[in-house]
Amino acid sequence: MVKSSSSRKLKDDGVKTTWIKTEEASLDIDTLVHYGFAEDRCHRCGIHNSEISGLLMQCGKCKKAYYCSMKCFNDDLAWHQQFCQTSRIDYAPSLEDATKIKVNLPPRISIEPIGENLYRIKATHHQSILATDASGHTFKPNLNDGTIFSYTKGKSHEKRGTVDGHKDVRKLYGSGPLTLTVDNGNGKKVSVTVDPAEAGPPKIKIEEIRPGLYKIVASDQAGFPVTVKGSDSEGNTFQNLEPGSFFTYDKAWKGFHQEENKHVQQLAGQGTLHLTAVNVDGKETTIEVAPSDPSQPKIKIQNLTENLYKLKIKDPAVFQGPLEITAKDSDGSPITLKNNDIFSYVDAGSGKTHQQPENDEEHGAFQKIRGHGNLTITVVNCFGKEVSAFVSPGSAPPPSLRLESLKDGYYKLHASDPNDEHLTIQVVDHNGDTFLPALENASVFSYTDAGSGSNQQTANEHPYYGSVQKLRGHGQLTVTVTNASGKTVQAMIEPAEASSPVVNIHELEKGVYRLEVSDESGNPVTILAVDSERNTFNDALADQSIFRYEEAGERSATQEIQGDSRHGGTQKIRGKGDLTITAINSAGKESSIVLKPTEADPPYLRMEDLGDGFFKVIASDGDGEPVKVNAADQEGNAFAVEPGTVFRYEVAGKRPCSQEAREDGRLGLVQKLFGNGNLTFKAFNAAGKESTLVIQPTESDPPSLNIEELRESFLKIVAGDRDGEPVAVTAVDQEGNAFVMESGTIFRYEEAGKRTASQDQRDDQRFGTVEKLCGRGSLTITAVNLAGKENSVVVTATEPDPPSLRLEDLGDGLRKIIVSGKDGGNVVVTAFDSQEYEFTAKPDMIFRYLGTDGDSGQTYQQDSNHGDVSNMYGKGELTLTATNDSGKQATAKIQATHSDEPKVELVEVESGVFTINAIDPNGDPIMVHAEDANGDSIVTIPVKSTFRYSDVGPEYSKKDGDVYDFQMPELWITCYNKAGKKTKTKVKAPEKKQAEEPSSPKPPAVSSSAQSSGAGEPDSPSKRKKRILTREVRDKLIFWYGRLGYPTRDEMIKKVARLPESCGIRAEDVELLPWIMNGRMIRTKDLHEKVLENTTVYIEKEVDSD
């Protein structure tokens, strides 16, 4: 807690600052840490000493605060004086103490004008700055130190924008003064007020949407609503104008006018339009809008139908005055018309201009006007703008003419005039010949082409039409009707064609016809006969002629007269294709009829079956004419044949398509045809008719295929063809392996088994060269001849012979592996004992199989008589298996030979010093262990090693150079061979000597007599006690066993011997661990048991029994 008892003033550079009395205040810890206690930063603004070139100044009182300038010092004086107070009582607050200090500094705020109605806030010791106008409106978010703002009188609201280059300026609008309240968050508040600036007048502008259409844009910067007033130059006012309104303004004819059309205010007034925007303060802004220039009226002459119009007039001015409409023709004669009138206008000719009302069924009443020249219509609006339109006069209507078509080629003439004027009717043909007397209205007539004759006009009576006129002329007939005004109308018709002659053909009997020709005019008729190749047959063909018509085929077109008992003289015509008979009358009209030829009979074609696939070609023609025969297979291969040919047709297969002439003992000369597919025969006669016959090929005989069985599974292929043609032989096993074979091949086929499918050529003493085939599954042998026919035989594979396996006894337990295969292939030998242990074995290998109590294994040694010998150590009987390439096997089994124990001899070279001599009967290496009385291995010793032994003194084992040194109650030397046999020998301790007696050498101890099956019992010294493996010792041993990298027993003894006594274990303690595998590792299970039982390892000194 910091308290102030009085107020003091500090003068510096004219700035007067009052210390603020306070009872209790809180301190911002972050500010305190960063600035209050930093020697390299300003206590007020936090600027770093390096940023001002090391010019920080120290407070002269407290010596704790640093400032960059007097300004920062003065600004921070009210806050810092409390720490100076503390400093005077030798109290420098730490960070922990600072949390206990509470400083309640009053906030400070100042408003800095930076432009017209533009301010910047400066505030210190504040948590928030609240801005409120006189109406109580609070501006959110709160203001802050450094905020730039403006304040204008208006409706309470806020905008943001850029003012005089200052970005993000807060533009505040409100009523009355603006109160800025600064709160430090601890109950201390300071307020300042800012008076509002007066708001300016409202803004108004006009946006032109399109020519003549405007939009009012008006706003008040204070946010209050704006009212828009409108008036013209004469003071006429317009209503319903507001910001956003659309309007048009035109010059009024008189006075003013306003109406709304589709949300657009249409205004018309006198002079300029004044638009005034007024805000709530009564401030105004006025703009002016000039009226749109009056446009000309628009006039449109709408053409309803031919020479019928509608007058449409429109004044673009919104509020137009009266329109003046005048109409006159070229002579100036006035015509009365008004808007939307329907009228017609035609040339009056030599008559006067006149106007009369008429009525039309479709368009109702209309004005019928006749005048001279163009009709001019002029429209003038109230502003003097005018526009004119012209209408050309229509011609006087011509008379009407219609030729009504009746039945049978007759027409009825209908002629009339709209003005009932006199009509003149003239009828002229294409050559200009006029028909007289002239036709009249309602006349009925016909018109026919005169052909080469002259024009004719005759009057006749028709049963239906009464009096009719028959006209004959040339070309088109033109009927012209002319009224009194000289207006004409024409109608044209084509002449009716003259009738064609009639041609008929009556079939009297099959292939015999009678020609009948007639013409209604009775004039002679010309008859023409032509076939499809334009051959003409005009001789003696006339009406009632009798004739035959046949297809000429390859013969020439002919015409001849033949006698017929029933029909007399008959025309026999032979032509190509259809026969066209045409009859032509004198008017050039013709009629035709088409007659198809009588079909000629095709030739006779058949095949006489002569047996055994032979046929004879039989072909003939009913008229006795020659017949041609050809033959082709499905691929178009042609063969030369003729009637009477004897042939045999077979499929070519692999042979080329061919034709061969051969002599047959039964049929003589025959043709042998080889082709593909069916054989097609065609026979042609002279008329081009053909007959077709298809025969199928005679099946070719398949080749013969026999497999001749010789002996010992040898086979011979015998294949042949009936025609003596070559035969191809193929052989494939079930897996698709192909073998090269041919007729006469001698072979032997065996199952490949594990071998690769193969084919070998070998010499046999009995059969000569033979093929040795090795395949999988049965062998399919196929013989194929040139015709593609095949014959197959399946051969079953011969089972391959197994290899031979024999074990030759060489004596002394040695055996030799003797294997052989009948085919001389590879033979693989494997060997397993009863425990499935696999030994390495191969043909001709010499080995000895020995039983073992240990692990199965295999060693090699040199034998003086047999060279390399393998010793196999296994369990149970040994099974040897020989496997040849075909997978066939042979097996041999033998029992293990008993293995002798190794022989050990300890030679005492001096008192207590021994050399180890050990040998295995089988020559295998021997492993020697030094063991204690419990049978635990101490160390592994190489054969021929030297060691020293004493049973007196502290118990230890060590190695001194090449000599092993043992000192313990009992020492046993145990030798193990590969077969697991062992020999155990107790080492005899040297005899104890009297001090005065000289030493004498001891005789060497021969250990062969000392061999025994078990370890001897050690003598228990009376002065020694057994050491107990406590849990503490065990734990230390296990710790150092892992720490030293899990060494062997000998390695751990050496490493523990170098450890300091503070470790709590000695080298002798290592022996207490349950070592296994000759001291190479520890058995964990025994380790826990050792804790509960006494060990038999003696220590070097006596210990208490507990």
Side-chain angles (χ1 to χ4, degrees):
M1 299 293 293
V2 179
K3 293 185 178 181
S4 174
S5 60
S6 62
S7 299
R8 298 180 59 189
K9 296 181 179 179
L10 175 66
K11 293 185 178 179
D12 184 57
D13 51 355
V15 179
K16 182 170 69 175
T17 304
T18 302
W19 288 16
I20 301 175
K21 293 182 179 181
T22 178
E23 291 298 328
E24 198 173 61
S26 61
L27 179 65
D28 187 343
I29 299 302
D30 290 338
T31 304
L32 182 68
V33 172
H34 285 299
Y35 303 143
F37 298 100
E39 296 181 358
D40 56 349
R41 290 188 178 274
C42 176
H43 197 282
R44 172 64 178 175
C45 65
I47 190 172
H48 196 272
N49 193 27
S50 61
E51 298 179 60
I52 56 174
S53 304
L55 298 180
L56 284 179
M57 298 177 290
Q58 187 181 48
C59 177
K61 291 184 178 181
C62 65
K63 307 297 183 182
K64 299 294 184 182
Y66 291 82
Y67 296 94
C68 64
S69 63
M70 288 301 296
K71 183 178 184 305
C72 282
F73 174 78
N74 291 328
D75 291 345
D76 196 54
L77 189 59
W79 187 88
H80 177 62
Q81 58 89 18
Q82 300 181 61
F83 292 101
C84 279
Q85 292 281 356
T86 304
S87 300
R88 285 199 297 272
I89 59 175
D90 298 329
Y91 177 72
S94 63
L95 179 59
E96 295 178 356
D97 296 333
T99 59
K100 303 175 183 178
I101 299 174
K102 294 186 178 180
V103 179
N104 189 4
L105 299 180
R108 290 179 293 179
I109 184 172
S110 63
I111 307 301
E112 177 185 1
I114 59 176
E116 183 177 358
N117 190 23
L118 195 63
Y119 308 95
R120 178 187 284 115
I121 296 176
K122 290 188 175 182
T124 58
H125 315 308
H126 69 284
Q127 188 177 38
S128 63
I129 301 176
L130 189 68
T132 309
D133 65 359
S135 67
H137 175 77
T138 301
F139 297 92
K140 295 293 183 178
N142 294 337
L143 280 65
N144 209 338
D145 181 31
T147 300
I148 299 175
F149 72 96
S150 64
Y151 182 56
T152 308
K153 181 179 179 182
K155 183 180 178 180
S156 299
H157 70 285
E158 177 182 353
K159 298 181 180 178
R160 296 201 181 200
T162 301
V163 179
D164 297 339
H166 299 284
K167 297 181 179 180
D168 199 25
V169 175
R170 298 183 66 172
K171 302 177 183 179
L172 310 180
Y173 297 87
S175 58
L178 178 69
T179 301
L180 300 177
T181 303
V182 185
D183 187 356
N184 67 354
N186 291 314
K188 298 295 182 180
K189 297 182 180 179
V190 175
S191 299
V192 297
T193 59
V194 178
D195 293 329
E198 288 295 327
K203 297 180 181 180
I204 183 171
K205 68 177 181 177
I206 302 300
E207 292 183 359
E208 187 172 13
I209 306 303
R210 64 172 184 266
L213 179 63
Y214 306 95
K215 179 181 179 182
I216 300 173
V217 180
S219 63
D220 182 57
Q221 60 180 351
F224 291 109
V226 176
T227 303
V228 180
K229 300 178 180 179
S231 62
D232 63 4
S233 299
E234 293 184 356
N236 299 309
T237 60
F238 302 98
Q239 306 299 323
N240 300 326
L241 296 177
E242 57 186 21
S245 296
F246 294 91
F247 72 93
T248 62
Y249 181 61
D250 295 293
K251 183 177 180 182
W253 175 51
K254 61 180 180 180
F256 74 99
H257 191 83
Q258 178 180 3
E259 70 179 41
E260 183 177 348
N261 183 13
K262 296 181 180 179
H263 305 292
V264 176
Q265 298 294 330
Q266 296 180 335
L267 312 179
Q270 305 298 322
T272 304
L273 174 66
H274 302 277
L275 294 177
T276 302
V278 184
N279 64 10
V280 294
D281 295 331
K283 294 186 179 181
E284 299 180 350
T285 300
T286 303
I287 59 174
E288 296 181 350
V289 180
S292 301
D293 187 29
S295 302
Q296 292 178 337
K298 296 181 180 180
I299 183 171
K300 180 180 180 182
I301 308 299
Q302 182 181 0
N303 192 349
L304 302 178
T305 60
E306 184 179 359
N307 198 26
L308 188 65
Y309 309 95
K310 183 175 183 179
L311 176 63
K312 289 186 175 182
I313 300 173
K314 183 178 180 181
D315 189 3
V318 179
F319 311 110
Q320 70 274 15
L323 296 174
E324 180 181 349
I325 304 174
T326 59
K328 59 182 68 176
D329 62 4
S330 299
D331 295 341
S333 300
I335 304 297
T336 302
L337 289 174
K338 61 181 182 296
N339 192 18
N340 295 320
D341 272 357
I342 299 174
F343 66 94
S344 66
Y345 180 61
V346 296
D347 192 359
S350 57
K352 295 181 180 180
T353 302
H354 68 279
Q355 175 181 1
Q356 67 182 33
E358 293 285 347
N359 192 55
D360 182 77
E361 293 181 359
E362 181 180 358
H363 302 97
F366 71 96
Q367 296 294 323
K368 188 175 183 180
I369 304 171
R370 290 179 181 269
H372 302 90
N374 292 335
L375 176 65
T376 302
I377 302 174
T378 303
V379 180
V380 182
N381 66 8
C382 60
F383 299 108
K385 302 288 184 178
E386 69 176 41
V387 64
S388 298
F390 303 92
V391 180
S392 298
S395 300
S400 63
L401 173 62
R402 182 169 64 91
L403 298 179
E404 180 184 358
S405 178
L406 305 177
K407 293 181 179 181
D408 302 328
Y410 285 93
Y411 300 89
K412 187 175 183 179
L413 188 148
H414 298 276
S416 63
D417 184 70
N419 299 322
D420 296 330
E421 296 179 350
H422 176 71
L423 298 176
T424 301
I425 300 174
Q426 184 182 20
V427 181
V428 181
D429 69 358
H430 183 68
N431 293 338
D433 295 329
T434 303
F435 294 91
L436 295 174
L439 297 178
E440 297 178 355
N441 185 30
S443 295
V444 177
F445 67 97
S446 67
Y447 179 58
T448 306
D449 190 1
S452 58
S454 58
N455 290 2
Q456 293 180 0
Q457 180 178 1
T458 58
N460 292 295
E461 287 294 327
H462 193 277
Y464 299 109
Y465 307 128
S467 178
V468 296
Q469 295 287 330
K470 282 192 173 184
L471 310 180
R472 289 180 182 270
H474 301 89
Q476 197 175 58
L477 182 70
T478 302
V479 180
T480 304
V481 178
T482 306
N483 63 9
S485 300
K487 300 295 183 179
T488 63
V489 64
Q490 291 182 336
M492 290 162 285
I493 61 173
E494 296 293 333
E497 291 194 11
S499 300
S500 301
V502 178
V503 181
N504 288 314
I505 296 177
H506 295 280
E507 188 174 14
L508 303 179
E509 60 183 59
K510 184 177 180 181
V512 180
Y513 306 94
R514 181 173 63 211
L515 177 63
E516 295 180 354
V517 180
S518 63
D519 183 66
E520 66 176 2
S521 65
N523 294 325
V525 177
T526 302
I527 299 175
L528 302 176
V530 182
D531 66 4
S532 298
E533 293 188 1
R534 310 306 296 170
N535 297 308
T536 59
F537 310 95
N538 300 328
D539 297 340
L541 270 182
D543 183 31
Q544 301 302 315
S545 292
I546 297 175
F547 67 96
R548 296 174 182 269
Y549 180 61
E550 295 181 359
E551 176 66 40
E554 297 180 358
R555 297 168 291 187
S556 301
T558 60
Q559 180 182 6
E560 56 182 329
I561 298 176
Q562 294 181 346
D564 188 276
S565 59
R566 287 173 296 174
H567 306 294
T570 302
Q571 297 283 336
K572 188 172 183 179
I573 302 172
R574 287 183 178 177
K576 311 283 188 180
D578 295 342
L579 179 67
T580 302
I581 300 175
T582 303
I584 305 172
N585 62 12
S586 59
K589 297 298 179 179
E590 63 181 44
S591 296
S592 298
I593 190 169
V594 178
L595 179 65
K596 291 189 175 296
T598 302
E599 287 288 333
D601 293 330
Y604 175 75
L605 176 63
R606 73 180 180 88
M607 298 294 154
E608 182 181 354
D609 191 352
L610 303 179
D612 199 21
F614 284 95
F615 297 90
K616 184 177 181 180
V617 180
I618 307 297
S620 62
D621 184 67
D623 296 332
E625 295 180 345
V627 176
K628 296 180 180 179
V629 180
N630 59 34
D633 64 3
Q634 286 185 348
E635 293 184 353
N637 300 302
F639 303 94
V641 294
E642 58 185 18
T645 299
V646 178
F647 69 94
R648 174 186 171 96
Y649 177 59
E650 297 181 4
V651 174
K654 298 181 180 180
R655 296 169 291 191
C657 294
S658 61
Q659 178 177 359
E660 300 176 6
R662 297 184 181 181
E663 285 292 336
D664 186 80
R666 181 170 60 91
L667 304 173
L669 183 63
V670 297
Q671 298 290 329
K672 193 157 186 184
L673 313 180
F674 298 96
N676 294 312
N678 295 334
L679 183 65
T680 301
F681 286 86
K682 290 186 179 181
F684 301 88
N685 60 11
K689 297 298 179 179
E690 68 178 42
S691 295
T692 303
L693 185 63
V694 178
I695 66 170
Q696 295 180 344
T698 302
E699 284 291 329
S700 299
D701 296 326
S704 61
L705 176 62
N706 293 314
I707 305 300
E708 183 180 344
E709 187 172 357
L710 303 179
R711 50 183 177 172
E712 294 186 4
S713 301
F714 279 96
L715 306 174
K716 182 178 181 180
I717 299 174
V718 179
D721 184 69
R722 175 181 175 181
D723 296 329
E725 294 178 338
V727 176
V729 180
T730 60
V732 180
D733 65 3
Q734 285 186 346
E735 290 189 356
N737 299 304
F739 305 95
V740 179
M741 308 286 277
E742 61 183 16
S743 180
T745 298
I746 297 175
F747 69 95
R748 174 187 171 93
Y749 178 59
E750 294 181 359
E751 178 65 37
K754 296 182 180 180
R755 297 172 292 180
T756 305
S758 62
Q759 178 177 1
D760 297 326
Q761 195 174 77
R762 300 182 180 180
D763 290 330
D764 188 85
Q765 295 179 354
R766 293 162 295 172
F767 307 119
T769 301
V770 297
E771 298 291 334
K772 179 74 177 292
L773 310 181
C774 292
R776 288 179 171 79
S778 58
L779 181 70
T780 301
I781 301 175
T782 304
V784 184
N785 61 11
L786 294 179
K789 298 297 179 178
E790 62 182 39
N791 199 353
S792 298
V793 175
V794 178
V795 177
T796 304
T798 301
E799 193 69 26
D801 296 326
S804 64
L805 173 62
R806 183 170 60 88
L807 300 180
E808 182 181 353
D809 191 352
L810 303 180
D812 196 20
L814 293 178
R815 292 178 175 84
K816 183 177 182 180
I817 302 174
I818 306 296
V819 298
S820 65
K822 183 175 182 180
D823 296 327
N826 294 327
V827 178
V828 177
V829 180
T830 58
F832 293 88
D833 64 2
S834 60
Q835 300 297 321
E836 297 298 327
Y837 180 83
E838 183 178 5
F839 302 94
T840 301
K842 59 184 177 179
D844 299 327
M845 178 179 177
I846 298 175
F847 71 97
R848 179 186 292 109
Y849 180 56
L850 304 171
T852 179
D853 297 332
D855 296 332
S856 299
Q858 184 174 8
T859 62
Y860 296 90
Q861 67 181 49
Q862 284 290 327
D863 186 85
S864 58
N865 296 325
H866 304 290
D868 291 335
V869 174
S870 173
N871 291 326
M872 300 179 185
Y873 299 93
K875 300 181 184 299
E877 65 180 4
L878 179 68
T879 301
L880 292 97
T881 304
T883 306
N884 61 10
D885 290 339
S886 61
K888 297 299 179 179
Q889 295 180 340
T891 304
K893 296 183 179 181
I894 60 172
Q895 296 296 327
T897 302
H898 178 71
S899 177
D900 296 331
E901 296 176 346
K903 298 178 180 181
V904 181
E905 180 182 8
L906 299 180
V907 180
E908 187 173 12
V909 296
E910 62 180 70
S911 178
V913 179
F914 303 89
T915 298
I916 302 173
N917 291 330
I919 187 172
D920 185 72
N922 300 321
D924 286 334
I926 295 175
M927 182 178 295
V928 181
H929 290 267
E931 299 176 351
D932 59 12
N934 294 327
D936 294 331
S937 177
I938 302 172
V939 67
T940 300
I941 305 174
V943 179
K944 302 296 184 181
S945 296
T946 301
F947 68 91
R948 182 182 297 109
Y949 172 64
S950 173
D951 60 351
V952 179
E955 183 178 342
Y956 66 87
S957 65
K958 62 182 180 179
K959 185 178 181 182
D960 185 8
D962 294 334
V963 178
Y964 291 86
D965 195 356
F966 301 99
Q967 187 167 296
M968 57 189 62
E970 285 187 7
L971 179 64
W972 294 81
I973 300 300
T974 304
C975 298
Y976 298 87
N977 64 5
K978 185 66 177 178
K981 301 296 182 178
K982 67 179 180 179
T983 300
K984 193 168 185 178
T985 304
K986 183 177 180 181
V987 181
K988 183 178 179 181
E991 294 182 359
K992 299 178 178 59
K993 308 173 187 178
Q994 298 296 328
E996 64 278 8
E997 294 179 358
S999 60
S1000 59
K1002 296 181 180 180
V1006 179
S1007 61
S1008 58
S1009 61
Q1011 293 179 355
S1012 63
S1013 59
E1017 292 295 331
D1019 297 333
S1020 299
S1022 59
K1023 295 183 179 181
R1024 298 183 182 273
K1025 293 183 180 180
K1026 298 180 180 179
R1027 178 170 177 150
I1028 302 299
L1029 177 64
T1030 64
R1031 186 178 300 274
E1032 179 181 3
V1033 174
R1034 181 200 66 176
D1035 292 344
K1036 288 183 179 181
L1037 287 173
I1038 293 299
F1039 169 78
W1040 283 104
Y1041 177 65
R1043 184 73 176 270
L1044 296 175
Y1046 305 101
T1048 63
R1049 178 176 54 196
D1050 296 341
E1051 292 174 347
M1052 188 170 179
I1053 290 174
K1054 294 178 182 179
K1055 292 180 179 180
V1056 171
R1058 294 195 293 268
L1059 294 177
E1061 294 182 359
S1062 60
C1063 294
I1065 60 173
R1066 295 179 300 173
E1068 292 82 355
D1069 295 336
V1070 176
E1071 297 290 348
L1072 300 177
L1073 294 175
W1075 295 95
I1076 59 174
M1077 296 182 66
N1078 300 325
R1080 289 197 294 272
M1081 62 183 299
I1082 295 175
R1083 186 187 301 275
T1084 308
K1085 179 179 178 181
D1086 296 345
L1087 183 65
H1088 295 284
E1089 295 176 354
K1090 289 281 186 182
V1091 176
L1092 304 177
E1093 65 180 6
N1094 294 342
T1095 63
T1096 56
V1097 179
Y1098 297 105
I1099 57 176
E1100 60 177 307
K1101 64 180 180 180
E1102 294 182 0
V1103 296
D1104 297 333
S1105 60
D1106 55 355

